[in-house]
Amino acid sequence: MMAHSKALLVLENFIGGKFVPCSSYIDSYNPSTGDVYCRVPDSGKEEVEAAVKAAKNAFPVWSSKSPLERSQILNKLADLIEHDLEAFAQAESKDQGKTITFARTVDIPRAVYNFRFFASSILHHTTECTEMATMGCVHYTSRAPVGVAGLVSPWNLPLYLLTWKIAPAIACGNTVVAKPSEMTSVTAWMMCKLLEKAGVPHGVVNVVFGTGAKAGEALVCHPDVPLISFTGSTLTAQRIMEKSAPHCKRLSLELGGKNPAIIFDDADLTQCIPTTLRSSFANQGEICLCTSRIFVQRGIYSEFLKRFVAETKKWKVGNPSDPTVNVGALISKEHLEKVRSYVKKAQAEGARVLCGEGVDSLALPTGNQKGYFMLPTVIAEVKDESCCMQEEIFGPVTCVVAFDTEEEVIERATSVKYGLAATVWSSNVGRVHRVAQRLQSGLVWTNCWLIRDLNLPFGGMKASGIGREGAKDSYEFFTEVKTITIKH
Ligand code: NAD
């Protein structure tokens, strides 16, 4: 461990309604300066055991509360987070490297909305009932919370994605043990400070901080945690499936993507170009839904490329706390090196880097020289089989290639292992429907990107995941259904 000159922020686990120190800690870095600024508990089996025990003890009382009582508590928690929105946004930006603007307008408002949304939706579910008059029977279904839910979340949208799991889990009457990413734990810890005031009973929400290998795996392997909701990489999901198999756990897996944007020659480029810039580079390209393969119909390929590159060059990279900055810092030094290595590989394969990494120079403010920054990068003439077109890069790098026909682009867009999200740009409604139907993708946005109605299913096909989240889908995941038959 390095010597620390400044006073560090020290986090504690939140178990059974109390903050509990840990015997060992992990350093957490500020990605925009490269400095260690926080210490995160390095929890393991012992801490997870205590958290699961607290969650189990809290379950009988919490699960027997009415949906309305739970709803009121969730709404109160939403109000409290919203009241501290600026402090949460500052913390998220510092911890993750994302711009303060993104944290203020996307991450924290969405975390608030996650609680409000499930506080409302839990009041509106109905169950099924059928009559079998000839047999003198009525059948109906009833739904009950499952028990202790294990929630594991990634570093790219820390509080946003963690609350997207906590809110439905507790709205349905489960109690939870959550493990945020060890790289971005601060806002989860801040949220724990508000739970008591919101009226969340002790033990309903427990948060154990630490690495995936130690704390995450202890949670996944715990016999008293019957369901795991995981968002993260496909590789980790495979490990989680393996580890939870002996217990036959219920799994929801939201994983990586290699998302195409398909741009036909009748697309409205005045809408398409700014949206495709955002879909490629928002949050430093560190969103599972980010576009990383842009297929442009040949007739408009040159024009698109010229305008897209010119606009990319206008995106400002720098200190995330500067509200005029568009691209903040990547999450870690290792991740930055990994993202850069993809650009090098593309160059070695003969692709053309049109702007960004290795082509343009990046001037950073004095205080950010050791931060993990890179310029948004556009690569052209990449072969479909190249790793840049096949693997998830998860950084500000996008590849642009030309296509000729609808049939051809559907085939090329789907020939990757992932199937999370796609965008289609065309003013021909018939074509938009045809292409959307045929793409192997859990989400298809046409003539837009990232507009979500939380009522509807979210999730990926193929290596992008198993299961869906949303009003009905999360309700079904976090409850167990029973069919009851009454004969009179
Ligand atoms: P990751 O898989 O490395 O880690 C995710 C979480 O799992 C972290 O909390 C980590 O500590 C934990 N973990 C790691 N190993 C574990 C193990 N063996 N057992 C239990 N837990 C373990 O992913 P990441 O790098 O934090 O996040 C980036 C990935 O997440 C990208 O692939 C991205 O596409 C994906 N993602 C998907 C969605 C979606 O909704 N589909 C959303 C955001 C991010």
Side-chain angles (χ1 to χ4, degrees):
M1 189 165 307
M2 30 188 305
H4 305 298
S5 49
K6 282 187 225 151
L8 299 179
L9 178 64
V10 182
L11 309 189
E12 289 177 325
N13 288 324
F14 189 73
I15 299 174
K18 292 195 181 70
F19 284 100
V20 189
C22 193
S23 55
S24 61
Y25 288 83
I26 312 161
D27 287 340
S28 182
Y29 292 78
N30 175 342
S32 71
T33 61
D35 296 331
V36 172
Y37 87 105
C38 173
R39 303 184 76 208
V40 175
D42 184 13
S43 312
K45 275 191 185 153
E46 201 183 310
E47 291 77 10
V48 168
E49 185 61 49
V52 173
K53 198 166 161 219
K56 256 182 99 171
N57 289 342
F59 181 73
V61 171
W62 182 247
S63 59
S64 60
K65 283 196 187 296
S66 72
L68 183 60
E69 281 174 287
R70 294 197 294 259
S71 168
Q72 284 163 342
I73 293 172
L74 262 70
N75 272 322
K76 185 82 200 289
L77 183 55
D79 292 345
L80 292 170
I81 298 173
E82 191 171 49
H83 180 267
D84 292 349
L85 194 144
E86 183 57 23
F88 273 99
Q90 296 277 356
E92 203 72 298
S93 168
K94 185 171 184 179
D95 205 24
Q96 204 272 343
K98 66 178 68 230
T99 65
I100 186 65
T101 308
F102 201 84
R104 272 183 194 140
T105 57
V106 180
D107 288 79
I108 310 304
R110 173 60 189 273
V112 171
Y113 188 59
N114 285 338
F115 284 112
R116 292 217 173 105
F117 179 81
F118 285 104
S120 164
S121 79
I122 193 67
L123 303 176
H124 303 288
H125 292 295
T126 53
T127 53
E128 294 162 289
C129 176
T130 59
E131 242 186 298
M132 231 181 216
T134 51
M135 303 291 288
C137 285
V138 168
H139 308 274
Y140 70 96
T141 59
S142 85
R143 282 199 170 263
V146 185
V148 179
L151 313 177
V152 181
S153 57
W155 49 257
N156 61 329
L157 300 164
L159 195 65
Y160 171 137
L161 288 172
L162 188 68
T163 54
W164 176 235
K165 298 183 185 305
I166 294 178
I170 65 172
C172 291
N174 302 283
T175 55
V176 307
V177 177
K179 197 214 74 73
S181 167
E182 60 275 29
M183 287 186 270
T184 52
S185 296
V186 174
T187 49
W189 171 76
M190 288 169 69
M191 182 197 68
C192 292
K193 294 194 206 175
L194 304 176
L195 294 175
E196 182 149 4
K197 199 168 172 197
V200 179
H202 291 180
V204 171
V205 175
N206 306 276
V207 182
V208 173
F209 299 102
T211 65
K214 255 174 87 180
E217 212 151 302
L219 183 57
V220 165
C221 295
H222 200 293
D224 294 337
V225 179
L227 77 177
I228 301 288
S229 173
F230 169 78
T231 299
S233 65
T234 304
L235 205 64
T236 305
Q238 287 163 344
R239 173 100 183 152
I240 289 177
M241 287 172 91
E242 228 178 273
K243 289 285 162 184
S244 57
H247 305 281
C248 292
K249 295 198 181 197
R250 184 186 291 203
L251 299 178
S252 165
L253 305 172
E254 297 289 349
L255 316 177
K258 189 69 193 170
N259 312 308
I262 300 174
I263 303 170
F264 287 97
D265 57 11
D266 59 354
D268 174 0
L269 290 187
T270 58
Q271 298 282 323
C272 169
I273 289 176
T275 306
T276 308
L277 277 166
R278 279 197 305 117
S279 74
S280 298
F281 305 127
N283 204 45
Q284 301 71 243
E286 295 169 328
I287 305 179
C288 55
L289 305 166
C290 272
T291 300
S292 60
R293 296 179 294 149
I294 306 177
F295 294 91
V296 186
Q297 208 160 15
R298 203 167 303 275
I300 57 163
Y301 180 72
S302 304
E303 188 201 345
F304 175 88
L305 211 51
K306 200 168 108 209
R307 287 168 62 179
F308 188 75
V309 169
E311 291 302 316
T312 301
K313 286 183 172 179
K314 291 183 192 160
W315 273 46
K316 189 171 159 189
V317 180
N319 191 342
S321 58
D322 172 350
T324 66
V325 157
N326 306 98
V327 181
L330 274 71
I331 183 67
S332 66
K333 198 160 185 273
E334 295 69 30
H335 188 58
L336 174 67
E337 272 158 20
K338 182 180 150 200
V339 175
R340 281 183 168 153
S341 76
Y342 276 100
V343 183
K344 285 210 182 75
K345 279 183 213 160
Q347 275 171 319
E349 287 168 0
R352 276 197 308 138
V353 180
L354 301 178
C355 65
E357 175 67 20
V359 177
D360 301 305
S361 57
L362 172 59
L364 290 167
T366 330
N368 300 104
Q369 301 287 331
K370 290 196 193 137
Y372 319 132
F373 295 91
M374 81 177 265
L375 288 163
T377 301
V378 181
I379 311 179
E381 287 151 41
V382 197
K383 294 193 181 71
D384 284 6
E385 57 279 14
S386 158
C387 60
C388 289
M389 288 286 278
Q390 292 291 325
E391 295 169 19
E392 183 182 49
I393 301 175
F394 219 55
V397 177
T398 199
C399 300
V400 189
V401 292
F403 75 92
D404 291 295
T405 67
E406 189 178 308
E407 197 59 33
E408 170 206 337
V409 78
I410 292 169
E411 150 75 24
R412 290 172 65 191
T414 47
S415 57
V416 291
K417 69 174 181 175
Y418 295 105
L420 185 56
T423 51
V424 181
W425 292 88
S426 168
S427 50
N428 176 334
V429 179
R431 174 189 273 160
V432 155
H433 278 292
R434 274 196 311 274
V435 176
Q437 291 286 345
R438 290 187 56 199
L439 288 171
Q440 287 179 313
S441 182
L443 302 137
V444 181
W445 279 291
T446 70
N447 300 324
C448 65
W449 178 69
L450 206 56
I451 300 178
R452 282 271 296 130
D453 177 350
L454 301 191
N455 283 295
L456 299 190
F458 177 96
M461 296 182 182
K462 305 197 281 185
S464 290
I466 296 178
R468 295 291 183 270
E469 295 174 332
K472 188 161 172 277
D473 300 86
S474 299
Y475 178 63
E476 286 175 359
F477 178 73
F478 285 113
T479 55
E480 194 79 81
V481 70
K482 192 182 288 175
T483 301
I484 299 169
T485 302
I486 311 280
K487 187 162 162 49
H488 52 81

